[in-house]
Amino acid sequence: MNSKLNKHLVIAPEVATALAHGQAVVALESTIIAHGMPYPKNVETAREVEGIIRREGAVPATIAVLDGEIRIGLDDESLEKLGRADDVAKLSRRDLPMIIAQKADGATTVAATMICAALAGISVFATGGIGGVHRGAENDFDISADLEELAKTPVAVVCAGAKSILDLPKTLEFLETRGVPVIGYKTKQFPAFYCRESGLEAPLSANNPEAIAAMISVQNDLGYQGGAVVANPIPESHAMDKAEMDQVIATALASADAEGVIGKAITPYLLGKIVELTEGRSLESNIELVKNNAVLAAKISKELSALV
Ligand code: PSU
Ligand code: MN
């Protein structure tokens, strides 16, 4: 690794060993811990997800910036610190270099986690949901930097689709324009996070981890820029009622509007509001879908390490 990059990147020994041996590694983001779920469920979930990835035979690498260092793989103490603090910066692509230069702390979004994972040589990443094109983007231009990152950084993101706090048709259009493969896992539909179906077609689909690993491998062979979205529907047992969620999301959006929440604050605000409005039921679903994604990401990563 080049020494200029090296001074910013701290790879946990377990992760470094796995990467050096071409073994399966799964990246995990930290915004979901710091801004996506309340304490202490966030830290419990982060640990559980790491355990699931290990049981599947891969090595978890939770990514964050601490004291200006990009950490690939976090110890328990750092996870706890990120989960407890209520003032950790939310880092997307634009924020990363400044926070590193300031030797500060920050939780990485999907976009920033992809950047850091790619720098470390990790090509599979598990999370809950990606950012996307917000409703009303035709007026306020609010489009998550996650989508641009998916078009330029070669990391496959396993998620449960995207929440309908977003404009899902526009999100899929954007990904199509930027040439990002969106693969429904064992489904022909693009899943809508809490709900298995969105009514929108998934552009591609695959029925096993091998097929997804094979596609990633071809992307690499062809020297493609960009990653992929692997859209894995929430397990049936934890899916939420669509009519109820539509209502909850409408209420959350109206309240964000009334309070004038904008910019990077809007996604965390809506996530918190949804948990509040469902009295925590949505949080249980959120946790289950992240665990489900961790299993699939580990399987894809294992298949991929057998291929390359
Ligand atoms: N969607 C979720 N849970 C999350 C996020 C999105 O269902 O935790 C987080 C992710 O870190 C994602 C970020 O990358 O929010 C997107 O923020 P923005 O819309 O500001 O780009
Ligand atoms: Mn935004």
Side-chain angles (χ1 to χ4, degrees):
M1 200 180 293
N2 87 53
S3 63
K4 285 194 173 162
L5 170 58
N6 229 352
K7 71 179 182 193
H8 299 298
L9 207 55
V10 178
I11 305 185
E14 184 194 13
V15 178
T17 305
L19 290 170
H21 292 90
Q23 288 160 356
V25 176
V26 174
L28 297 162
E29 61 155 311
S30 45
T31 290
I32 191 173
I33 304 171
H35 306 276
M37 288 185 191
Y39 183 83
K41 284 275 183 190
N42 55 355
V43 177
E44 281 167 33
T45 304
R47 292 202 177 113
E48 241 185 301
V49 165
E50 291 195 345
I52 287 170
I53 290 170
R54 285 206 174 87
R55 279 200 293 284
E56 289 291 329
V59 174
T62 304
I63 294 177
V65 176
L66 296 173
D67 303 318
E69 291 173 340
I70 299 175
R71 300 282 190 87
I72 311 288
L74 293 185
D75 53 31
D76 271 2
E77 200 186 319
S78 309
L79 268 184
E80 181 74 23
K81 179 176 162 190
L82 276 173
R84 261 183 194 275
D86 46 19
D87 56 353
V88 182
K90 174 182 161 191
L91 310 183
S92 191
R93 168 175 273 273
R94 64 154 186 214
D95 313 291
L96 200 55
M98 184 61 97
I99 294 294
I100 293 171
Q102 292 173 335
K103 308 222 174 301
D105 297 341
T108 50
T109 62
V110 168
T113 303
M114 288 178 73
I115 296 170
C116 300
L119 290 173
I122 303 171
S123 45
V124 182
F125 163 17
T127 189
I130 54 168
V133 180
H134 282 258
R135 298 197 199 177
E138 62 276 27
N139 297 316
D140 64 13
F141 279 48
D142 190 350
I143 299 174
S144 174
D146 291 353
L147 299 185
E148 275 295 337
E149 207 59 52
L150 282 158
K152 58 189 169 208
T153 300
V155 174
V157 181
V158 182
C159 63
K163 284 199 174 75
S164 44
I165 56 173
L166 302 169
D167 185 323
L168 298 183
K170 286 195 182 74
T171 299
L172 286 174
E173 286 294 347
F174 191 98
L175 290 167
E176 177 173 294
T177 301
R178 301 295 279 114
V180 179
V182 176
I183 307 163
Y185 184 65
K186 293 187 176 168
T187 178
K188 300 274 181 214
Q189 281 216 24
F190 184 66
F193 201 85
Y194 299 117
C195 307
R196 290 176 61 84
E197 289 172 352
S198 64
L200 300 164
E201 199 178 328
L204 302 164
S205 72
N207 289 324
N208 50 60
E210 295 85 342
I212 297 166
M215 188 220 63
I216 296 169
S217 174
V218 174
Q219 279 184 309
N220 293 338
D221 293 348
L222 302 184
Y224 259 39
Q225 276 192 336
V229 175
V230 178
N232 186 26
I234 184 170
E236 204 110 46
S237 53
H238 288 84
M240 311 247 331
D241 179 63
K242 185 170 183 307
E244 181 194 2
M245 285 321 288
D246 286 350
Q247 187 61 50
V248 163
I249 284 166
T251 308
L253 285 166
S255 121
D257 205 34
E259 292 186 34
V261 186
I262 55 162
K264 70 193 271 187
I266 190 130
T267 300
Y269 176 91
L270 292 171
L271 298 177
K273 204 75 193 166
I274 292 169
V275 173
E276 193 185 305
L277 290 167
T278 60
E279 288 152 344
R281 280 177 300 121
S282 69
L283 183 57
E284 291 309 314
S285 293
N286 198 342
I287 291 169
E288 288 309 314
L289 66 83
V290 174
K291 294 199 276 189
N292 189 47
N293 295 341
V295 171
L296 179 57
K299 289 186 192 300
I300 295 169
S301 177
K302 283 192 74 179
E303 290 298 333
L304 196 58
S305 64
L307 281 175
V308 288

